[in-house]
């Protein structure tokens, strides 16, 4: 392809990548900016990264996670109960990875957005399922022959129909997230979630 790509799986290496930004160039695929904007904490560098990290750290910390353990356990229990009601034939059709993704996605979504998350959809999909599909799509695009040969900027131009569709899905997801933030601010109903903590700062 036009540029080498390294995928980091080791947690310690991920930590090094995030904290030692003077050693690495944090450059996400350009087409992903339709979803991530400037890239957030993981892709920012220098003073801007420090500023964003400080804001997030003030809201997302160990105590926050401890306080929300019952909430996380409740979500896991709800998913288990849903599966327990299925008969053996239906269970054979269950995709375990999809179920785990739905459960973990709902936990992350509720911790960030609060209980209101379930009332928002991207088209006909839940926020959780929509983000899962976008993540799979982005990985496929980043590894696609067109991206490998012409670079990620080619994907960002949206010339091919598959690229246009992926970009539109990212824009739609980002738009719904912006609406959640706007609605939360206007309602002034804050709970024990990350978004409420960030807004109140």
């Amino acid at each position: 392809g036009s540029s080498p790509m390294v995928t980091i799986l080791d947690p310690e290496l991920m930590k090094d990548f995030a904290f030692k930004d003077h050693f690495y160039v944090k450059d996400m695929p350009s087409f992903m900016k339709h979803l991530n904007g400037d890239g957030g904490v993981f892709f920012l560098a220098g003073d801007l990264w420090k500023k964003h990290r400080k804001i997030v750290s003030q809201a997302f910390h160990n105590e926050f996670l401890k306080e929300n353990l019952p909430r996380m356990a409740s979500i896991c229990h709800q998913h288990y109960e849903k599966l327990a009601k299925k008969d053996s034939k239906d269970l054979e059709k269950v995709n375990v990875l999809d179920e785990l993704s739905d459960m973990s996605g709902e936990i992350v979504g509720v911790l960030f957005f609060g209980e209101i998350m379930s009332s928002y959809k991207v088209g006909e999909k839940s926020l959780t399922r929509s983000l899962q599909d976008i993540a799979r799509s982005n990985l496929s695009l980043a590894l696609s022959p067109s991206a490998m040969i012409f670079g990620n900027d080619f994907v960002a131009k949206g010339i091919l129909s598959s690229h246009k569709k992926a970009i539109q899905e990212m824009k739609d997801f980002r738009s719904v997230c912006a609406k959640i933030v706007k609605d939360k601010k206007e309602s002034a109903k804050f709970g024990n979630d990350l978004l409420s903590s960030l807004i109140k700062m």
Side-chain angles (χ1 to χ4, degrees):
S2 59
S3 58
M5 182 174 67
V6 177
T7 301
I8 303 174
L9 299 177
D10 187 291
E12 287 302 315
L13 291 178
M14 289 181 183
K15 184 177 178 181
D16 277 350
F17 177 79
F19 282 82
K20 299 178 181 178
D21 58 292
H22 50 288
F23 288 142
Y24 310 105
V25 176
K26 297 181 181 180
D27 187 24
M28 68 177 175
S30 54
F31 63 84
M32 285 180 61
K33 291 181 180 178
H34 294 290
L35 176 67
N36 295 341
D38 57 14
V41 174
F42 197 72
F43 285 103
L44 289 173
D47 291 338
L48 194 55
W49 174 80
K50 291 176 184 176
K51 180 182 177 182
H52 279 238
R53 181 176 176 270
K54 183 178 179 181
I55 292 170
V56 172
S57 296
Q58 287 174 347
F60 196 75
H61 45 72
N62 285 338
E63 285 304 313
F64 174 80
L65 290 174
K66 285 180 184 178
E67 290 169 5
N68 279 284
L69 276 175
R71 202 187 213 173
M72 291 186 265
S74 175
I75 291 172
C76 293
H77 184 71
Q78 288 169 19
H79 278 264
Y80 171 77
E81 287 293 317
K82 185 179 72 174
L83 290 174
K85 291 176 182 177
K86 294 179 180 290
D87 59 35
S88 57
K89 288 186 178 179
D90 288 334
L91 281 174
E92 289 177 2
K93 300 174 185 176
V94 170
N95 186 313
V96 177
L97 286 178
D98 280 348
E99 289 295 328
L100 289 174
S101 294
D102 284 345
M103 184 171 63
S104 57
E106 187 176 345
I107 288 172
V108 172
V110 168
L111 289 183
F112 189 90
F113 290 120
E115 303 300 336
I116 61 169
M117 188 197 81
S118 60
S119 62
Y120 291 87
K121 291 186 179 297
V122 182
E124 297 298 318
K125 300 177 185 176
S126 67
L127 278 177
T128 302
R129 184 50 62 94
S130 177
L131 186 57
Q132 287 173 26
D133 291 346
I134 288 172
R136 290 190 187 110
S137 173
N138 282 351
L139 180 60
S140 295
L141 286 176
L143 299 175
S144 66
S146 57
M148 293 291 186
I149 296 170
F150 301 111
N152 286 308
D153 285 344
F154 176 75
V155 179
K157 294 183 190 324
I159 296 172
L160 303 180
S161 58
S162 59
H163 299 170
K164 286 180 183 176
K165 181 183 176 184
I167 289 170
Q168 189 59 52
E169 286 174 348
M170 285 186 272
K171 287 180 177 178
D172 291 344
F173 184 88
R174 189 178 172 93
S175 177
V176 172
C177 291
K179 177 169 173 50
I180 293 175
V181 175
K182 180 173 177 288
D183 291 349
K184 175 84 89 169
K185 284 182 177 178
E186 291 177 351
S187 71
K189 294 179 180 178
F190 303 125
N192 187 25
D193 55 80
L194 187 59
L195 179 57
S196 294
S197 299
L198 292 173
I199 291 174
K200 288 186 288 186
M201 282 183 181

